[in-house]
């Protein structure tokens, strides 16, 4: 009982620090998701390009991302990149997360593109639209709609994965929890607190994705 | 163009899918305003022939001459050719994320650069013509099969093609919806549209076709006016086929 009261005490009294962390986590997650979608779209198009060398490049990228731990990728990007050019920690973290999610999003988008009935492409071509225009105007809009649930899921994974940036020193949600915990030698309540924050974000996000899904279903 | 102008000429056309020789030495001429109906058993190559005519499939050999010009992948922009050769598919292939009018104006605005207001005006006129004047703003999912196919016809017509290809346009429809689509096609034929139609609707072939082509195992076995083909077919295989479908 006392423990529970203590947790609430910590939860409430620490909110302003956690809000700073929350802001960083959200900014990081959204920025890295947007970059990851661009990477993912690009890599997906490479994979379906029917040009061997481009397919290999895409495969190699996906292989590297899948075959190595995210924390290793972040460390290499952060320490590797800062050696070459000085990038702010935020962008190193965002780049690391985007590099990682990009591979998974590429597979999501490729799957979605290939799930669109081939009659759609043929209809576009038969109207005189070239391949690029058909992809942009006919296939991709449908593919993205179809990919919304999976993209939402990947975003949720991305938010949780973003906690790893605390290991390069960022004060995101998890970074804040770690710092507060070690400063007070009172770890558990802070880790439970941060868990609650993540749970709430994921809950909210699940709700939003479901809403978008419903909205998009109207035209189907 | 005069009445006798050649719209499409196919010479010695061959097409294979791997080992499978699907079109064998096809010769076919379609003149302006002709309605040519292709009939034949499943797998005889009707769709493949049609799809070669707008280069959704690439021939292996032979020539395809459209509007007097021999079309080759290397020397021609096939997208340009396809603007002139409209196609209507068995499964409509409407764009489900676009409303009816958006389906119709998509290609004119995106490909030809027609102004949107202009395209909408023309698109509405076409939809009125196919009897869908009240459906501009609905999504295809809200339409019956017959309505979808009429939208698909309007969408193809919006590019002002010289020729229209139809691949079994009524085969996916409930029987009671077949006639509305056939009526639209008949009106189009009466306006002088050049049409190549694959269909199992022998009544339509008899009534609307100028020429009927019977295909069997990748070859054109018999070619003639509908009276000849339906009333006094010369080839035994044509007789067998007709007795199986009539
Ligand atoms: N893309 C393809 N790859 C391999 N084989 C194909 C392909 N398209 C068609 N075929 C084969 O070519 C042959 C002719 O097919 P096609 O679709 O032209 O026949 P069809 O006369 O239109 O038949 P149906 O009345 O069933 O539509 C068939 O054996 C078919 O399996
Ligand atoms: Mg067919």
């Amino acid at each position: 009982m006392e423990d529970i009261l203590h947790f609430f005490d910590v939860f409430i009294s620490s909110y302003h620090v956690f809000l700073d962390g929350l802001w960083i986590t959200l900014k990081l997650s959204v920025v890295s998701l947007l970059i990851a979608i661009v990477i993912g779209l690009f890599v997906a198009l490479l994979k379906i390009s029917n040009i061997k060398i481009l397919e290999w490049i895409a495969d190699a990228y996906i292989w590297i991302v899948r075959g190595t731990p995210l924390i290793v990728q972040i460390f290499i990007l952060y320490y590797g990149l800062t050696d070459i050019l000085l990038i702010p920690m935020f962008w190193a973290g965002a780049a690391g997360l985007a590099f990682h999610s990009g591979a998974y999003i590429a597979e999501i988008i490729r799957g979605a593109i290939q799930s669109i009935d081939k009659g759609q492409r043929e209809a576009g071509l038969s109207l005189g639209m070239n391949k690029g225009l058909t992809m942009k105007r006919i296939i991709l809009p449908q593919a993205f709609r179809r990919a919304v649930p999976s993209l939402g899921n990947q975003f949720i994974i991305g938010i949780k994965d973003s906690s790893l940036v605390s290991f390069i020193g960022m004060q995101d949600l998890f970074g804040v929890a770690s710092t507060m915990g070690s400063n007070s030698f009172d770890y558990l309540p802070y880790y439970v607190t941060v868990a609650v924050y993540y749970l709430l974000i994921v809950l909210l996000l699940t709700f939003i994705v479901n809403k978008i899904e419903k909205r998009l279903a109207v035209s189907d | 163009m005069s009445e006798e102008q050649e719209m499409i000429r196919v010479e010695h056309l061959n097409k294979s899918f791997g080992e499978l020789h699907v079109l064998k030495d096809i010769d076919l001429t379609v003149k302006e305003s002709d309605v040519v109906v292709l009939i034949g058993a499943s797998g005889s190559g009707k769709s493949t022939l049609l799809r070669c005519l707008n280069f959704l499939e690439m021939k292996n050999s032979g020539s395809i001459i459209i509007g007097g010009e021999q079309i080759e992948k290397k020397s021609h922009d096939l997208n340009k050719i396809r603007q002139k050769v409209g196609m209507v598919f068995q499964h409509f292939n409407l764009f489900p994320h676009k409303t009816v009018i958006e389906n119709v104006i998509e290609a004119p605005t995106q490909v030809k650069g027609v102004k949107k207001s202009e395209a909408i005006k023309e698109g509405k006129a076409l939809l009125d013509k196919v009897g869908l004047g009240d459906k501009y703003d609905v999504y295809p999912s809200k339409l019956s099969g017959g309505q979808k196919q009429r939208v698909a016809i309007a969408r193809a017509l919006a590019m002002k093609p010289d020729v229209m290809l139809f691949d079994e346009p009524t085969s996916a429809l409930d029987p009671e919806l077949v006639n509305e689509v056939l009526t639209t096609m008949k009106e189009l034929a009466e306006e002088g549209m050049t049409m190549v139609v694959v269909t199992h609707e022998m009544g339509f072939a008899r009534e609307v076709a100028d020429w009927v082509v019977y295909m069997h195992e990748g070859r054109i076995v018999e070619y003639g006016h509908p009276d000849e083909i339906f009333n006094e077919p010369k080839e035994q295989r044509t007789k067998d086929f007709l007795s199986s479908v009539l």
Side-chain angles (χ1 to χ4, degrees):
Chain A
M1 190 63 200
E2 210 160 289
D3 284 348
I4 294 176
L5 286 177
H6 179 55
F7 159 71
F8 276 114
D9 193 32
V10 166
F11 188 89
I12 291 163
S13 63
S14 66
Y15 84 94
H16 54 284
V17 204
F18 272 107
L19 283 190
D20 289 344
L22 176 66
W23 174 235
I24 291 177
T25 291
L26 288 180
K27 224 168 39 171
L28 193 65
S29 304
V30 170
V31 168
S32 62
L33 177 79
L34 293 179
I35 303 172
I37 287 179
V38 174
I39 296 176
L41 176 59
F42 182 70
V43 173
L45 292 176
L46 292 187
K47 275 214 78 159
I48 58 169
S49 65
N50 272 329
I51 301 171
K52 273 279 164 298
I53 177 93
L54 299 183
E55 288 174 36
W56 285 336
I57 292 171
D59 283 339
Y61 163 68
I62 291 169
W63 177 69
I64 289 170
V65 169
R66 280 193 174 160
T68 56
L70 173 54
I71 187 72
V72 175
Q73 295 162 16
I74 292 174
F75 271 48
I76 290 178
L77 271 174
Y78 181 57
Y79 294 108
L81 284 181
T82 43
D83 271 359
I84 307 162
L85 69 167
L86 255 168
I87 45 170
M89 192 192 284
F90 176 84
W91 288 102
L97 292 170
F99 175 79
H100 183 79
S101 290
Y104 293 94
I105 289 179
E107 290 293 69
I108 291 170
I109 293 177
R110 182 179 64 96
I113 289 174
Q114 288 175 337
S115 78
I116 303 299
D117 181 60
K118 75 180 195 332
Q120 291 292 306
R121 178 169 178 276
E122 293 183 350
L125 293 179
S126 79
L127 289 164
M129 299 169 75
N130 62 36
K131 286 181 196 160
L133 197 58
T134 302
M135 182 55 78
K136 179 172 136 219
R137 301 274 314 173
I138 308 302
I139 311 294
L140 285 181
Q142 296 183 59
F144 269 108
R145 271 158 220 246
R146 204 164 281 187
V148 161
S150 308
L151 288 176
N153 195 36
Q154 186 59 39
F155 188 38
I156 288 171
I157 294 172
I159 285 179
K160 292 183 290 178
D161 282 352
S162 72
S163 57
L164 290 174
V165 298
S166 61
F167 290 102
I168 56 171
M170 282 184 74
Q171 288 299 303
D172 70 320
L173 271 179
F174 187 67
V176 167
S178 301
T179 307
M180 304 273 283
S182 58
N183 286 350
S184 61
F185 297 106
D186 189 15
Y187 290 100
L188 188 60
Y190 288 104
Y191 287 142
V192 176
T193 298
V194 81
V196 171
Y197 277 96
Y198 282 113
L199 277 172
L200 290 177
I201 302 176
V202 170
L203 194 68
L204 183 70
L205 205 67
T206 309
F207 177 77
I208 293 171
V209 171
N210 285 341
K211 271 267 180 291
I212 296 175
E213 244 178 282
K214 284 227 178 68
R215 175 87 43 96
L216 291 178
V218 171
S219 63
D220 286 340
Chain B
M1 276 194 224
S2 75
E3 197 65 21
E4 291 299 292
Q5 188 80 38
E6 261 178 30
M7 192 66 89
I8 298 176
R9 184 146 52 94
V10 173
E11 286 176 348
H12 304 300
L13 178 70
N14 284 280
K15 169 70 187 173
S16 301
F17 293 109
E19 296 286 283
L20 189 65
H21 197 174
V22 175
L23 295 178
K24 299 166 186 162
D25 200 34
I26 300 282
D27 288 313
L28 179 71
T29 301
V30 181
K31 297 211 174 90
E32 195 188 346
S33 294
D34 271 358
V35 176
V36 175
V37 168
L38 304 180
I39 60 173
S42 178
S44 57
K46 307 178 298 291
S47 297
T48 306
L49 174 54
L50 217 55
R51 292 159 59 82
C52 283
L53 296 182
N54 74 347
F55 306 93
L56 286 180
E57 300 291 354
M58 293 300 161
K59 67 181 164 78
N60 292 102
S61 65
S63 48
I64 297 172
I65 298 149
I66 296 181
E69 208 178 331
Q70 181 168 336
I71 309 300
E72 294 294 339
K73 193 181 175 182
K74 288 193 198 74
S75 51
H76 287 82
D77 178 0
L78 298 180
N79 301 306
K80 276 253 154 53
I81 309 297
R82 292 196 193 101
Q83 292 177 33
K84 289 285 153 206
V85 184
M87 186 158 200
V88 173
F89 301 86
Q90 181 175 354
H91 295 288
F92 331 124
N93 299 350
L94 292 179
F95 306 135
H97 60 303
K98 294 179 180 292
T99 61
V100 165
I101 189 72
E102 286 168 351
N103 265 271
V104 175
I105 67 170
E106 176 68 14
T109 53
Q110 294 295 323
V111 177
K112 283 186 176 168
V114 176
K115 276 225 308 284
K116 195 171 171 195
S117 54
E118 182 66 20
I120 289 178
K121 210 175 93 204
E122 290 180 10
K124 285 187 171 177
L126 283 169
L127 287 168
D128 284 339
K129 199 171 100 170
V130 299
L132 290 169
D134 53 343
K135 301 287 184 194
Y136 305 145
D137 288 324
V138 307
Y139 283 95
S141 60
K142 298 280 182 294
L143 300 177
S144 72
Q147 291 172 327
K148 283 181 190 166
Q149 197 58 298
R150 286 182 285 148
V151 172
I153 292 171
R155 179 177 70 176
L157 290 175
M159 288 301 280
K160 303 193 171 83
D162 295 332
V163 193
M164 287 278 281
L165 311 175
F166 295 81
D167 193 358
E168 301 199 32
T170 60
S171 294
L173 299 179
D174 294 337
E176 72 272 17
L177 301 176
V178 166
N179 269 328
E180 60 189 61
V181 172
L182 291 181
T183 304
T184 300
M185 291 169 62
K186 203 173 128 192
E187 286 166 6
L188 205 56
E190 281 162 2
E191 286 169 20
M193 175 59 77
T194 312
M195 296 163 55
V196 184
V197 183
V198 174
T199 186
H200 296 296
E201 296 293 331
M202 296 302 152
F204 176 86
R206 215 184 256 275
E207 190 185 349
V208 182
D210 297 301
W211 302 97
V212 176
V213 174
Y214 171 63
M215 287 183 69
H216 180 75
E217 292 178 359
R219 286 181 200 283
I220 292 181
V221 170
E222 195 161 349
Y223 175 95
H225 289 293
D227 312 339
E228 298 166 346
I229 300 280
F230 290 111
N231 299 337
E232 40 200 322
K234 295 189 195 69
E235 300 286 329
Q236 187 57 40
R237 281 173 300 188
T238 316
K239 284 178 199 160
D240 294 345
F241 173 75
L242 287 173
S243 64
S244 75
V245 295
L246 287 177

